[in-house]
Amino acid sequence: MSRLVVVSNRVSMPTERGARAGGLAVALAEAMTPGSLWFGWSGKRGATASDQAAVTTHGGLTYATLDLSESDYRRFYVGFSNGSLWPLLHYRTGLLDFKRDDYEGYLAVNDLFADRLVPLLRPDDTIWIHDYQLLTMADALRRRGVKNRIGFFLHIPFVPPAVLHVLPSAAVLVRALAAADLVGFQTHGDRMNFLESVASCMDVRPDANHGFTHNGHRTETIVAPIGIDADGFARTARRAAGMAETKRLIESLVGRALAIGVDRLDYTKGLPQRFDAFGQLLHRHPEHLRRISLLQIAARSREDVDRYQSLRRELDRKAGDINGAYSDFDWTPLRYMTRTVNRNTIAGFYRLARIALVTPLRDGMNLVAKEFIAAQNANDPGVLVLSRFAGAAEELTEALIVNPYDADAVADAMHAALVMPLEERVARHAALLTKVQRTTAASFCRDFLARLKAIEINA
């Protein structure tokens, strides 16, 4: 059996209790069997980068991490990854802040990762690289003579060529991705955009199997939507329904319906537009005044980036305006919090909610939508209001699909959810739950790795 080597920007190290935290850790739990290696950044910064990876073992898994220099962090992570690639790949070209020095820092850190990983590799290792921070690492490994199978999975969207070429040196990134044997995406649209970009940047056309050959190397592609352990999350939600925090929330609602949004505090999540839509619900459908409360949990992230600070100020203002216009002495329509809430607690909140608002402006998948469906009481389920621009919308077609830029339409969808007959809610939820149970974290790992290991390589 070949060893699996997972490479990601951050390594999700075991906690003191032995559990692995973080979205990628949860998604890869099925694949990370004893003997696997997880390689990446430790999250620590110093005067210089590590001259070799620090290797530890825990629970049969090996973790290899390196520290970055402060300059590496600023250029690779804050500068190019989050200042250029993140807005670009979420179609927000107006927010792109390209600096040549940051781009060169990005390439240098991808090379650094390759330099530190190569001494740890075995000839039969299967390498699986994850996400936009490491777009050029497969190519960096090839330039160091690595002939192992290499897979790459992009967890966020991929844009069409017309958008991609806004970024200087975009063609370099596409050619570097082609060094992988298998490139994976969340949706068919993302894969199509990548293949069109390959044609644009490399003058190579895909074949009928959605693969292509360039300079003698064949690259295949796969659509492998990521999912959750639906049954496990459902059990968590049922337990959490009896927790003290859930009971406190129930008491505070005083019989009112709950709408919930759970997101990172990020400009891709459409939070200002969501607040506007909730305000429009109260304005367009006054019958819901004093009968619904929106709880928006938006955990702070990337606070050293200016535009995230601006977003927080904008949301503070909008929340104040809505509550100032509509609140009563015993009712606050919009509850907005930016601290992190325990995932188990959130599961209980999902089960209680009548509506989930998952309305990003663009998202690779968005597992909140799937968690909400899994958490529901099948006999009296809530309704999912889902952005057409979330990757999950390609699968979860029985949700109320909306354009998040249209506040009136989102408000009307919330109204439809609130007045929807029980029979329709049950039917929609049953169809959605079947899909969430079928496309899981385990199936994501299984499908991608099975395809990668089936690829013939030239040793």
Side-chain angles (χ1 to χ4, degrees), residues 167-198:
L167 180 72
S169 303
V172 174
L173 303 182
V174 173
R175 287 194 294 269
L177 265 178
D181 298 298
L182 180 64
V183 182
F185 302 92
Q186 302 273 22
T187 71
H188 291 85
D190 293 328
R191 176 167 71 175
M192 179 183 68
N193 289 339
F194 172 68
L195 292 174
E196 289 178 352
S197 295
V198 166

Side-chain angles (χ1 to χ4, degrees), residues 125-138:
D125 284 342
T126 295
I127 304 168
W128 191 4
I129 302 170
H130 288 266
D131 228 2
Y132 66 102
Q133 301 96 341
L134 301 174
L135 292 176
T136 64
M137 190 178 172

Side-chain angles (χ1 to χ4, degrees), residues 132-171:
Y132 66 102
Q133 301 96 341
L134 301 174
L135 292 176
T136 64
M137 190 178 172
D139 179 64
L141 289 170
R142 298 297 189 209
R143 286 186 278 107
R144 286 154 178 79
V146 173
K147 299 185 183 299
N148 303 56
R149 285 186 182 84
I150 300 178
F152 178 92
F153 191 83
L154 184 66
H155 291 262
I156 67 174
F158 199 91
V159 293
V163 178
L164 183 70
H165 285 302
V166 171
L167 180 72
S169 303

Side-chain angles (χ1 to χ4, degrees), residues 68-87:
L68 296 180
S69 71
E70 187 65 34
S71 174
D72 288 335
Y73 171 76
R74 288 290 164 187
R75 297 193 300 160
F76 156 74
Y77 185 72
V78 177
F80 192 72
S81 292
N82 291 316
S84 293
L85 287 178
W86 182 263

Side-chain angles (χ1 to χ4, degrees), residues 71-118:
S71 174
D72 288 335
Y73 171 76
R74 288 290 164 187
R75 297 193 300 160
F76 156 74
Y77 185 72
V78 177
F80 192 72
S81 292
N82 291 316
S84 293
L85 287 178
W86 182 263
L88 174 80
L89 295 177
H90 287 87
Y91 294 71
R92 301 298 297 275
T93 56
L95 298 178
L96 190 152
D97 183 18
F98 176 83
K99 295 183 176 63
R100 178 65 57 176
D101 185 57
D102 291 340
Y103 167 69
E104 292 173 352
Y106 178 89
L107 299 179
V109 169
N110 274 251
D111 284 352
L112 174 68
F113 270 47
D115 285 335
R116 300 297 179 263
L117 178 60
V118 166

Side-chain angles (χ1 to χ4, degrees), residues 99-340:
K99 295 183 176 63
R100 178 65 57 176
D101 185 57
D102 291 340
Y103 167 69
E104 292 173 352
Y106 178 89
L107 299 179
V109 169
N110 274 251
D111 284 352
L112 174 68
F113 270 47
D115 285 335
R116 300 297 179 263
L117 178 60
V118 166
L120 305 177
L121 292 175
R122 303 169 185 169
D124 62 345
D125 284 342
T126 295
I127 304 168
W128 191 4
I129 302 170
H130 288 266
D131 228 2
Y132 66 102
Q133 301 96 341
L134 301 174
L135 292 176
T136 64
M137 190 178 172
D139 179 64
L141 289 170
R142 298 297 189 209
R143 286 186 278 107
R144 286 154 178 79
V146 173
K147 299 185 183 299
N148 303 56
R149 285 186 182 84
I150 300 178
F152 178 92
F153 191 83
L154 184 66
H155 291 262
I156 67 174
F158 199 91
V159 293
V163 178
L164 183 70
H165 285 302
V166 171
L167 180 72
S169 303
V172 174
L173 303 182
V174 173
R175 287 194 294 269
L177 265 178
D181 298 298
L182 180 64
V183 182
F185 302 92
Q186 302 273 22
T187 71
H188 291 85
D190 293 328
R191 176 167 71 175
M192 179 183 68
N193 289 339
F194 172 68
L195 292 174
E196 289 178 352
S197 295
V198 166
S200 173
C201 296
M202 300 164 60
D203 197 24
V204 176
R205 300 290 170 182
D207 57 31
N209 295 317
H210 308 290
F212 59 92
T213 301
H214 180 67
N215 290 339
H217 178 263
R218 177 165 175 78
T219 302
E220 297 187 11
T221 64
I222 186 174
V223 176
I226 197 166
I228 63 170
D229 175 4
D231 294 337
F233 196 81
R235 289 191 296 271
T236 298
R238 287 193 294 269
R239 288 194 301 268
M243 291 171 52
E245 292 88 346
T246 308
K247 291 179 178 178
R248 285 171 50 199
L249 179 56
I250 293 171
E251 291 171 359
S252 72
L253 289 170
V254 198
R256 298 183 178 101
L258 173 68
I260 192 168
V262 179
D263 308 84
R264 280 190 311 105
L265 189 60
D266 189 284
Y267 55 79
T268 65
K269 300 300 183 181
L271 298 181
Q273 292 82 357
R274 187 180 304 169
F275 283 14
D276 289 343
F278 183 65
Q280 284 299 96
L281 171 71
L282 302 178
H283 173 71
R284 291 167 62 87
H285 303 281
E287 63 269 31
H288 299 305
L289 290 172
R290 297 176 50 83
R291 294 184 177 179
I292 184 171
S293 291
L294 169 61
L295 172 60
Q296 176 63 57
I297 300 170
R300 295 187 295 273
S301 68
R302 301 173 186 165
E303 293 185 87
D304 49 0
V305 179
D306 289 344
R307 61 176 64 103
Y308 289 84
Q309 298 170 9
S310 300
L311 173 62
R312 187 177 178 186
R313 289 192 295 270
E314 180 182 8
L315 293 175
D316 288 344
R317 178 183 58 78
K318 285 183 177 289
D321 289 347
I322 290 170
N323 286 332
Y326 294 104
S327 63
D328 210 333
F329 66 88
D330 61 348
W331 174 56
T332 302
L334 174 53
R335 309 178 187 191
Y336 163 54
M337 53 191 294
T338 59
R339 66 175 177 84
T340 301

